[in-house]
Amino acid sequence: MNSYLFRIGSKTSGFLRSTQFVRSYSKHVKSESYKKALEDVETQVAESPCILYMKGIPERPECGFSNTAVRILQAEGAVFTSYNVLKNNDMREAVKEFGDWPTIPQLYVKGQFIGGADILMGLYKSGELSKLLNEAGVVKKDE
Amino acid sequence: MTTIGPIENEIKELLTKELNPINLEIINESYMHNVPKGSESHFKVKIVSEKFETLSMIEQHRLVNEILKNFIGNGKIHALSITSRTPTQWKKNNQTKINVDDDKSPSCKGGFGK
C-alpha cells in the first residue's frame, strides 16, 4: 500500500489529481470506528429534539462560529444538547458527511438540519429561528 | 490585506464562473485566527447572484459549498463564512443605511490552533 501511494505521489503533473484520488479512495475505505460514528450521528440527530455539533462546549466554545451558534440558541431560550467534535475526529468527519455540510457548527432540530452559524444568524435576525424553535417545542417556558 | 493569494483568486474565479454574481466580495479573514501570517485558511464570501432568486438561504449556502467543495472538503480552507443575497434583497438593503458591523465575523477563540 505504501509503495503504491509513493508511486502516485512521485508523478508531478498529475499530482494534485492523484492526491485527490487517494483522498476520495481512502474515504470509501471506512474504518469500523468511522462507521460507528456515522451511526451515532444518525441516532443522536433522531433522538435529540435539538442538537448542536460544535467545537468546544457551550460554557467554553473553542471557535468563534461555534460561540455564535451557542449564544444565539441561548438568546432564544432553546433547550439543546451539544456535542464537542474536537474530542473525536471520527465524529467530526461523520457529522460533515451525514449533513453533507463541510463545516462545524451544525444545528439539527427534530431531525432536520437547520444550518451553521451564518444561517442561524440570518434566521435569528429575521425571527424565523424563534418561530422554528417554538414550533419544535424546544424553548424554555417562562415559569 | 493588499495581496491576493492564489486560493483567494481561485475562489473568485470559480464563483464568478458558476454564479455570474452582480456583486462579489471575498475577504481573507485568516489574520483573525490562530494561524500563521499569510495563511489562506479562513474566508468570508459575500455574494449576490440571480441564481439565488428561487433558493432558500440554506440552498444558497449549499450551492456555494458545492462550488467550493474542492477547497472546503479537502481542507484547503478551514472555514467559510457565507453571506448570500438575491439581487432583489441586495438592492433593497443597499437603499437603506446598513450598520457595517452587522456582518462582522466573530472573534476566533483560538480554536484552529488546538
Side-chain angles (χ1 to χ4, degrees), chain B residues 30-45:
Chain B
S30 310
Y31 70 96
M32 289 165 66
H33 295 268
N34 194 2
V35 293
K37 197 176 169 185
S39 289
E40 291 197 276
S41 53
H42 297 67
F43 283 95
K44 185 183 206 69
V45 169

Side-chain angles (χ1 to χ4, degrees), chain A residues 95-121:
Chain A
V95 166
K96 293 177 192 176
E97 183 178 325
F98 184 81
D100 192 21
W101 190 265
T103 50
I104 305 288
Q106 296 186 14
L107 179 72
Y108 283 85
V109 176
K110 291 277 166 108
Q112 197 199 355
F113 177 67
I114 305 301
D118 294 330
I119 291 186
L120 289 184
M121 183 58 90

Side-chain angles (χ1 to χ4, degrees), chain A residues 15 23 41 45 50 67 73 77 87 93 98 124 133 140:
Chain A
F15 185 71
R23 275 190 177 275
V41 174
V45 164
C50 186
N67 183 50
L73 288 174
K87 62 180 190 187
E93 295 308 311
F98 184 81
Y124 172 67
L133 293 171
K140 277 179 238 188

Side-chain angles (χ1 to χ4, degrees), chain A:
Chain A
M1 187 62 171
N2 281 342
S3 58
Y4 177 67
L5 287 174
F6 178 75
R7 241 187 319 129
I8 284 181
S10 63
K11 280 188 186 171
T12 46
S13 56
F15 185 71
L16 188 60
R17 248 182 310 129
S18 301
T19 48
Q20 284 175 349
F21 169 75
V22 169
R23 275 190 177 275
S24 59
Y25 173 74
S26 62
K27 256 192 174 163
H28 292 305
V29 179
K30 290 177 183 171
S31 66
E32 283 310 307
S33 62
Y34 182 75
K35 285 186 209 165
K36 166 122 193 348
L38 268 176
E39 286 168 12
D40 285 349
V41 174
E42 195 173 358
T43 310
Q44 287 168 2
V45 164
E47 289 181 356
S48 178
C50 186
I51 180 165
L52 178 71
Y53 291 97
M54 62 178 290
K55 294 180 182 177
I57 56 175
E59 295 78 16
R60 205 172 52 250
E62 293 184 44
C63 153
F65 296 106
S66 286
N67 183 50
T68 297
V70 166
R71 299 295 157 237
I72 289 173
L73 288 174
Q74 289 172 341
E76 292 286 8
V79 176
F80 64 99
T81 45
S82 68
Y83 186 90
N84 180 5
V85 299
L86 294 180
K87 62 180 190 187
N88 183 323
N89 208 51
D90 282 327
M91 283 293 287
R92 185 175 177 173
E93 295 308 311
V95 166
K96 293 177 192 176
E97 183 178 325
F98 184 81
D100 192 21
W101 190 265
T103 50
I104 305 288
Q106 296 186 14
L107 179 72
Y108 283 85
V109 176
K110 291 277 166 108
Q112 197 199 355
F113 177 67
I114 305 301
D118 294 330
I119 291 186
L120 289 184
M121 183 58 90
L123 295 175
Y124 172 67
K125 284 182 184 173
S126 69
E128 281 171 78
L129 184 64
S130 190
K131 183 165 174 262
L132 192 159
L133 293 171
N134 273 292
E135 279 173 4
V138 295
V139 177
K140 277 179 238 188
K141 300 271 185 289
D142 286 330
E143 249 120 60

Side-chain angles (χ1 to χ4, degrees), chain B residues 1-14 26-31 36-43 71 76-77:
Chain B
M1 287 268 119
T2 46
T3 48
I4 296 177
I7 293 183
E8 192 176 328
N9 253 335
E10 282 177 62
I11 291 176
K12 186 177 177 189
E13 278 172 18
L14 259 175
I26 300 173
I27 305 159
N28 182 350
E29 293 195 321
S30 310
Y31 70 96
K37 197 176 169 185
S39 289
E40 291 197 276
S41 53
H42 297 67
F43 283 95
F71 295 89
K76 241 175 168 178
I77 65 179

